[in-house]
Amino acid sequence: MTELRHAWLVDPFARTVTHVTLHSAVSSPEELHEIYALLDCTTIEAVNPVNAGGDLLFVDEDGKYRKPSEQAFFLCRLWPHEPLTGRALWVGRNDEGDIASPVSALDYVRAHIVWASKV
């Protein structure tokens, strides 16, 4: 039986942070494909935002290699390293380290996202 989990989709193209439901089984090959489809990419990187209760942010690794004119950017106040490119998925982790619903509330995440202007 597949456990439905939710996540927060950060979309700098639409400038929205929205609720999405993950339908794939935990740690299945389909789970990774579902994330790729949500982010519209083929490679992701996981970053660990600070003060986020152990949540992860999966970011579009492909976005770094696209022309800036074809890309959208955002900053996360909980990831003070560099602007992030393309869509991202905010997820939680269970005790085994598998993807779970986030600990951070949607409004908390929204309050820490800053949309960047195009380059």
Side-chain angles (χ1 to χ4, degrees), residues 1-94:
M1 181 173 168
T2 301
E3 174 189 341
L4 293 180
R5 297 152 293 152
H6 66 267
W8 314 136
L9 179 64
V10 180
D11 186 343
F13 297 97
R15 293 186 172 215
T16 59
V17 182
T18 57
H19 174 274
V20 295
T21 301
L22 300 175
H23 298 278
S24 55
V26 173
S27 295
S28 68
E30 292 79 20
E31 183 180 58
L32 185 57
H33 293 294
E34 185 174 15
I35 294 169
Y36 288 156
L38 285 167
L39 301 184
D40 191 23
C41 68
T42 58
T43 309
I44 59 173
E45 176 183 359
V47 299
N48 293 299
V50 296
N51 298 323
D55 288 348
L56 285 175
L57 189 59
F58 288 120
V59 297
D60 171 6
E61 187 70 10
D62 297 339
K64 294 178 181 178
Y65 306 106
R66 292 188 184 118
K67 294 178 188 176
S69 61
E70 298 171 354
Q71 192 53 276
F73 305 86
F74 70 97
L75 301 156
C76 178
R77 292 184 180 112
L78 303 173
W79 177 252
H81 301 287
E82 74 261 346
L84 299 167
T85 57
R87 292 173 189 86
L89 190 67
W90 190 289
V91 300
R93 289 183 278 189
N94 64 20

